[in-house]
C-alpha cells in the first residue's frame, strides 16, 4: 500500500467535505478541471512500480469506477445551489456525509473483492486517486447542467475572471466538427471521377473501312 496515495486521498476528501458543508462559491474550473486532473494523475499512477493490469484488474476497476461515478452523481443531485451577490454558491447538506461514507465503504469492499480475485492492482491503493477523480467528475456531470439552467453565473476564479463553461463547450464541439470534416472521405462520399470512354471504331459505328470501299466496286464488276 502506497502511504502517499492514501494520505493524498484523505487530504482531498477532508478539504472537499469541509468546503461543501460550509458552502462555497461555485467555480467552474474547480468543479470540472480539478477532478479531471486528479483522475489523470490517478490513471497514470496505475502502471507505476512495475505493476501490470490484468483482465480481472480491469473488471474490478470498471465496477469501482461505476460505483464512484454513481455516488458522485447522487452527491451532485443533493447539493443546494443558490445565488449570492450575483454569483452561484453551492452547499452540501449534512446528510450528504452518508454518501461519502458509502464511497469509502465501497472502496473497502472492492479492495477485499479484488484481493480475493488476485487483482493486485485493483486491490492496492493505486486506484484511490483515480476513483476519487471519477467521483468528482460524476458530481460535476450533474451540478454543471443545474448551474447553467439556473441562469446565475459561476463565481469568478482566483484571478477575478469567470470561466465561461458554455463558450468552452461550444469551442470544444467546434473543434470536433472541424476535425471530423477534415478527415478523409469514405467511399460513399468520395467524389466520382469523370468516366473515360474508349472511342468507337469505324466498324462499331457501321462505317466501312477504306479497304472495304475498294472491294465493293470490284465485287459489283465481277457479278456483272
Amino acid at each position: 500500500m502506497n502511504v502517499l496515495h492514501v494520505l493524498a486521498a484523505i487530504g482531498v476528501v477532508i478539504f472537499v467535505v469541509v468546503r461543501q458543508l460550509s458552502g462555497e462559491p461555485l467555480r467552474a474550473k474547480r468543479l470540472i478541471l480539478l477532478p479531471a486532473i486528479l483522475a489523470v494523475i490517478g490513471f497514470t499512477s496505475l502502471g507505476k512500480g512495475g505493476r501490470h493490469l490484468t483482465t480481472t484488474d480491469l473488471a474490478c476497476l470498471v465496477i469501482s469506477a461505476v460505483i464512484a461515478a454513481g455516488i458522485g452523481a447522487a452527491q451532485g443531485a443533493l447539493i443546494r445551489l443558490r445565488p449570492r451577490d450575483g454569483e452561484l454558491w453551492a452547499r452540501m447538506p449534512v446528510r450528504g456525509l452518508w454518501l461519502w461514507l458509502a464511497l469509502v465503504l465501497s472502496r473497502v469492499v472492492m479492495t477485499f473483492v479484488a484481493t480475493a480475485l488476485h487483482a493486485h492492482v485493483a486491490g492496492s491503493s493505486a486506484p484511490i486517486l483515480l476513483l476519487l477523480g471519477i467521483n468528482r467528475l460524476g458530481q460535476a456531470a450533474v451540478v454543471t447542467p443545474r448551474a447553467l439552467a439556473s441562469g446565475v453565473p459561476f463565481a469568478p476564479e482566483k484571478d477575478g475572471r469567470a470561466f465561461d463553461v458554455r463558450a468552452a463547450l461550444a469551442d470544444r464541439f467546434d473543434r470536433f466538427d472541424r476535425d471530423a470534416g477534415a478527415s478523409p472521405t469514405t467511399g460513399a462520399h468520395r467524389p466520382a471521377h469523370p468516366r473515360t470512354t474508349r472511342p468507337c471504331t469505324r466498324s462499331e459505328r457501321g462505317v466501312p473501312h477504306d479497304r472495304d470501299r475498294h472491294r465493293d466496286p470490284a465485287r459489283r464488276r465481277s457479278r456483272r
Side-chain angles (χ1 to χ4, degrees), residues 24-25 29 33 35 39 51 53 96 100 104-105 109 116 120 128-129 132 160 176 178 184 188-189 197 201:
E24 62 175 342
K29 286 187 176 181
L33 296 183
R51 292 186 290 261
L53 291 172
W100 281 107
V104 174
L105 291 179
V109 171
H120 301 294
I128 291 180
L129 293 180
L132 187 57
F176 177 79
R178 287 196 298 268
H189 302 284
T197 57
T201 62

Side-chain angles (χ1 to χ4, degrees), residues 60-221:
C60 292
L61 288 175
V62 169
I63 295 174
S64 300
V66 171
I67 295 173
I71 295 176
Q75 291 171 327
L78 194 61
I79 286 180
R80 296 171 181 171
L81 302 178
R82 58 189 179 91
R84 178 186 291 186
D85 299 330
E87 60 189 34
L88 204 59
W89 276 61
R91 183 177 179 274
M92 174 75 75
V94 178
R95 66 177 182 272
L97 292 176
W98 290 106
L99 292 175
W100 281 107
L101 180 61
L103 181 65
V104 174
L105 291 179
S106 67
R107 180 55 200 158
V108 172
V109 171
M110 287 304 302
T111 299
F112 282 110
V113 172
T115 303
L117 296 176
H118 304 287
H120 301 294
V121 177
S124 66
S125 61
I128 291 180
L129 293 180
L130 171 64
L131 297 176
L132 187 57
I134 292 175
N135 170 262
R136 298 292 82 208
L137 288 175
Q139 174 182 294
V142 176
V143 173
T144 302
R146 291 179 56 199
L148 294 175
S150 68
V152 182
F154 285 91
E157 304 297 330
K158 294 297 185 180
D159 56 3
R161 295 180 297 178
F163 181 73
D164 193 344
V165 178
R166 295 183 187 273
L169 292 177
D171 181 67
R172 178 61 61 182
F173 283 117
D174 289 342
R175 290 182 181 179
F176 177 79
D177 293 338
R178 287 196 298 268
D179 293 340
S183 60
T185 56
T186 60
H189 302 284
R190 190 174 298 162
H193 295 286
R195 185 178 179 180
T196 58
T197 57
R198 178 178 59 85
C200 297
T201 62
R202 297 173 67 117
S203 59
E204 291 172 345
R205 295 197 304 266
V207 179
H209 290 279
D210 294 337
R211 64 176 180 272
D212 295 331
R213 292 179 180 178
H214 294 293
R215 289 176 183 176
D216 289 342
R219 289 177 181 175
R220 287 196 295 266
R221 286 195 298 269

Side-chain angles (χ1 to χ4, degrees), residues 1-7 51 125-126 128:
M1 177 176 292
N2 193 325
V3 180
L4 292 178
H5 287 165
V6 177
L7 293 179
R51 292 186 290 261
S125 61
I128 291 180

